[in-house]
Amino acid sequence: MIRTTALSKVYRSRERQVTALDGVDLHVREGEIFGVLGRSGAGKSTLIRCVNLLERPTSGTVEVGGRELTSLSASALRAERRGIGMIFQHFNLLSSRTVAGNVAVPLEIAGVPRRDRARRVAELLDLVGLVEHAKAYPAQLSGGQKQRVGIARALAAEPRVLLSDEATSALDPETTRSILALLRDLRDRLGLTILLITHEMDVVKNICDSAALMEGGRIVESGTVPELLGRSDSRLAREMFPLGTPALLAGRTLVDITFRGEETAQPFISTLARTYNVDVNVLGAAVESVGGRQIGRMRISLDGTFEHNVVPIGYLREQGLQVDVIDEAEAGSGTEHTTSDADVAAADGVALAGKEL
Amino acid sequence: MTWSEMRPLLETATQETLYMVGVATLITVLIGLPIGLLLVLTDRGGPLSFAPANKLLGLVVNVGRSIPFLILLVALIPFTRWVTGTTIGTDAAIVPLTVGAIPFFARLVETAVREVDRGLIEAAQSMGAGTFTVVRKVLVREAVPSIISAITVTVVAIVGYSAMAGVVGGGGLGDLAIRYGYQRFETNLMLVTIAVLVVLVQLVQFLGDLLSRRLAHR
């Protein structure tokens, strides 16, 4: 739905030049919520502003809904922009207009007749839960209400894509959650494709289907959240679901379990303890329930050395869980090591390999 | 001079002043508003960014603002005659008043429009608005309270200028104060004239502030 190819943006001032985007290839699939995470200065703001060409990229192309925006004339671009809604960190509402008036702006720009406008505005205010504030001015609203107006306005012209430029960064955590819930709900109901940029890990964790990490104008990592979780070297996954540096205990085995939202919800810990008669100690867990599915990671320790626990670990793998055993050498240096299936099989001969097949 | 002698003089002079100030303000706003907008639009980073035009416009405005009004009044006499066919009376006075007030007002408009948050312009652009729509629906509309304040300040300045116009036979309260109050030593009349001017300025400022506050929903 959104695709950028080799997108670059260089700002030139008299003496120096700053590369804000350095060859960004981004692909957002239809209907997904895609989060771009990065610190300030990473280029994520430039990236999202390049998607609707508020900022002209120095080179590279932008494609939204199959149309290549970078090659369009000014008037064709304006028409195309009506199909791309945008919400902002500081809301950017017109202070001189009421809530209803603000929501009507894109309709006026699109040339919708007055009567249809009023009906559509009422629908939109209902959608974001602001019907009773239609006649209020933005100055009379709270931050969360202002962003709801921003969302209603962005959706007025029935866009298929919504761009969110740090839309929750000026809001408190509770309001952030309600705005994120609204965005997810709107995506589900209207089939929107949402590209959002944020510096808040929680936002990605809460609503994103896919995520990318930006650094120094480049995308250093990207994929769907389950994909990222599946990669043990994923920084995004580690930051999203932090377990800290493992501290090894003599005579115990440390195991990281990753839930990718694909496994059936069942009490595998207690089953594990009962069936194999092992002591399971949960050392840490960072698990999020997204749409009824569990996503995240958990670190447990099992009694005995790895050799003693080959069978219980095999059981966990059978449940469809990704299981990473942390070995002593790696734990000491503070980095995690993934024991691949092959390693485990090698350690245990053929028994486990047989089970996994 | 008694009150009954002063009254008709004051009435005529006040009407003349209101006429001069009213017409001059109207023309000033009609011409100064677009100039002020162009100063912002053609500036670097603006929607119509065009440096040469911006520099030239800025220069013209600055030249206009640096000429003392009294000099402008005299220097414009040929132009005034060309426009109105005369150099005496209220109609003739309107020409220098307008020419003097336009650069002043244009700068005030520029400041008012610059105060509009850039984010609002971007929001409108993201909805597919063109430059004209951005100017009309965002820049001008959002700057209205500040522009009302700018008009208020300009009207007060024009009232002051109009008193000076009295020197060259422009009519109005300034003319009255000079001819009767100063040249004929009618101190009472001069004081009353000043009082009328004070009341006029107060009234303009009060109404301007009221309107500006009414229109600002901050």
Side-chain angles (χ1 to χ4, degrees):
Chain A
M1 196 64 185
I2 302 174
R3 190 187 286 275
T4 73
T5 315
L7 206 62
S8 292
K9 175 77 188 181
V10 181
Y11 293 102
R12 287 192 178 84
S13 62
R14 223 154 287 165
E15 303 100 53
R16 57 206 198 98
Q17 57 178 47
V18 180
T19 306
L21 293 180
D22 188 6
V24 172
D25 297 308
L26 186 77
H27 179 212
V28 182
R29 281 179 286 264
E30 184 158 4
E32 83 176 337
I33 302 183
F34 193 108
V36 176
L37 190 80
R39 296 186 189 180
S40 37
K44 54 194 194 309
S45 192
T46 308
L47 173 62
I48 200 163
R49 291 153 48 81
C50 275
V51 170
N52 61 359
L53 297 193
L54 281 179
E55 201 93 64
R56 274 268 165 199
T58 312
S59 64
T61 58
V62 176
E63 208 186 290
V64 178
R67 300 281 309 258
E68 194 188 309
L69 300 188
T70 26
S71 61
L72 295 179
S73 68
S75 65
L77 173 63
R78 284 200 296 275
E80 216 53 44
R81 275 179 179 162
R82 285 169 203 161
I84 308 172
M86 190 167 189
I87 52 178
F88 306 87
Q89 178 172 8
H90 298 296
F91 324 119
N92 294 347
L93 302 176
L94 298 174
S95 67
S96 55
R97 284 177 175 238
T98 60
V99 165
N102 267 287
V103 176
V105 175
L107 300 171
E108 290 169 20
I109 291 171
V112 175
R114 184 181 293 268
R115 188 173 302 170
D116 298 345
R117 263 193 335 245
R119 190 163 38 78
R120 180 85 184 119
V121 167
E123 268 171 35
L124 287 156
L125 290 180
D126 186 42
L127 199 64
V128 298
L130 280 179
V131 175
E132 67 273 33
H133 292 95
K135 289 197 169 69
Y137 284 91
Q140 299 164 305
L141 302 178
S142 70
Q145 289 170 328
K146 284 182 197 169
Q147 196 56 287
R148 280 168 191 272
V149 179
I151 292 170
R153 182 178 67 175
L155 298 178
E158 302 188 40
R160 296 177 60 211
V161 173
L162 180 67
L163 306 176
S164 162
D165 185 355
E166 296 274 9
T168 57
S169 300
L171 304 174
D172 61 70
E174 201 172 314
T175 313
T176 294
R177 276 193 292 277
S178 80
I179 292 293
L180 293 179
L182 176 65
L183 287 178
R184 188 165 48 213
D185 179 49
L186 290 172
R187 187 275 304 266
D188 294 343
R189 278 205 270 170
L190 309 174
L192 286 171
T193 303
I194 302 181
L195 171 63
L196 62 85
I197 63 158
T198 182
H199 65 267
E200 297 170 305
M201 186 50 90
D202 277 349
V203 170
V204 176
K205 201 160 118 180
N206 263 306
I207 63 164
C208 291
D209 305 305
S210 295
L213 179 65
M214 257 191 115
E215 237 166 43
R218 292 165 181 271
I219 287 186
V220 293
E221 211 182 278
S222 103
T224 65
V225 173
E227 266 168 29
L228 291 169
L229 272 169
R231 287 180 218 151
S232 54
D233 62 341
S234 163
R235 287 171 50 199
L236 265 174
R238 203 176 310 151
E239 279 178 50
M240 249 189 284
F241 302 101
L243 288 174
T245 309
L248 274 193
L249 296 165
R252 294 190 77 85
T253 306
L254 281 192
V255 176
D256 282 356
I257 300 170
T258 305
F259 309 85
R260 283 181 282 179
E262 291 149 358
E263 34 308 281
T264 47
Q266 48 179 309
F268 63 88
I269 293 278
S270 53
T271 313
L272 181 75
R274 252 196 328 268
T275 316
Y276 299 98
N277 199 23
V278 284
D279 280 335
V280 182
N281 196 4
V282 176
L283 299 178
V287 182
E288 195 79 21
S289 186
V290 178
R293 301 183 315 170
Q294 300 257 292
I295 285 189
R297 298 195 300 169
M298 175 187 278
R299 176 169 298 153
I300 58 174
S301 93
L302 302 170
D303 233 357
T305 59
F306 173 64
E307 284 70 25
H308 290 106
N309 287 304
V310 167
V311 178
I313 288 169
Y315 162 78
L316 290 176
R317 290 222 165 94
E318 272 180 74
Q319 307 308 306
L321 297 161
Q322 182 183 317
V323 180
D324 299 314
V325 179
I326 303 164
D327 50 42
E328 274 166 70
E330 308 301 322
S333 66
T335 55
E336 283 171 49
H337 171 69
T338 318
T339 313
S340 69
D341 291 7
D343 291 336
V344 177
D348 190 42
V350 285
L352 187 58
K355 272 190 174 176
E356 285 198 309
L357 290 170
Chain B
M1 198 182 256
T2 61
W3 174 244
S4 55
E5 287 171 308
M6 283 193 240
R7 218 180 126 173
L9 290 172
L10 279 168
E11 276 176 9
T12 318
T14 306
Q15 276 169 18
E16 284 172 352
T17 294
L18 290 178
Y19 171 72
M20 282 190 294
V21 173
V23 176
T25 302
L26 193 71
I27 301 171
T28 299
V29 170
L30 286 178
I31 300 175
L33 190 67
I35 292 178
L37 274 169
L38 279 175
L39 279 170
V40 181
L41 296 176
T42 57
D43 199 10
R44 202 149 47 100
L48 296 176
S49 179
F50 186 53
N54 190 263
K55 293 252 163 59
L56 186 71
L57 207 57
L59 186 73
V60 170
V61 166
N62 282 344
V63 168
R65 289 203 57 195
S66 41
I67 301 173
F69 184 67
L70 208 57
I71 308 287
L72 191 74
L73 207 56
V74 181
L76 279 178
I77 284 177
F79 178 67
T80 306
R81 184 176 292 126
W82 179 71
V83 176
T84 60
T86 173
T87 58
I88 298 172
T90 49
D91 284 341
I94 287 170
V95 176
L97 284 181
T98 310
V99 173
I102 286 172
F104 177 69
F105 181 64
R107 281 290 180 210
L108 293 178
V109 169
E110 183 195 3
T111 313
V113 173
R114 268 191 211 288
E115 273 172 32
V116 175
D117 190 350
R118 283 196 59 87
L120 299 184
I121 302 174
E122 281 197 347
Q125 284 173 336
S126 80
M127 296 170 209
T131 305
F132 183 66
T133 312
V134 168
V135 170
R136 199 162 50 97
K137 288 195 189 294
V138 180
L139 288 180
V140 175
R141 190 62 194 82
E142 284 290 300
V144 160
S146 304
I147 291 174
I148 299 286
S149 296
I151 294 175
T152 309
V153 173
T154 305
V155 169
V156 171
I158 293 178
V159 170
Y161 289 165
S162 81
M164 274 192 252
V167 177
V168 293
L173 288 164
D175 187 34
L176 187 69
I178 297 258
R179 279 192 292 124
Y180 287 78
Y182 180 68
Q183 289 165 350
R184 297 189 194 174
F185 301 104
E186 293 284 354
T187 314
N188 285 347
L189 181 70
M190 183 146 76
L191 290 176
V192 175
T193 311
I194 292 170
V196 173
L197 283 170
V198 168
V199 170
L200 190 65
V201 169
Q202 287 286 348
L203 206 65
V204 167
Q205 191 67 47
F206 172 76
L207 289 175
D209 288 348
L210 188 75
L211 195 62
S212 175
R213 230 174 310 135
R214 270 290 177 87
L215 291 170
H217 299 281
R218 292 185 195 286

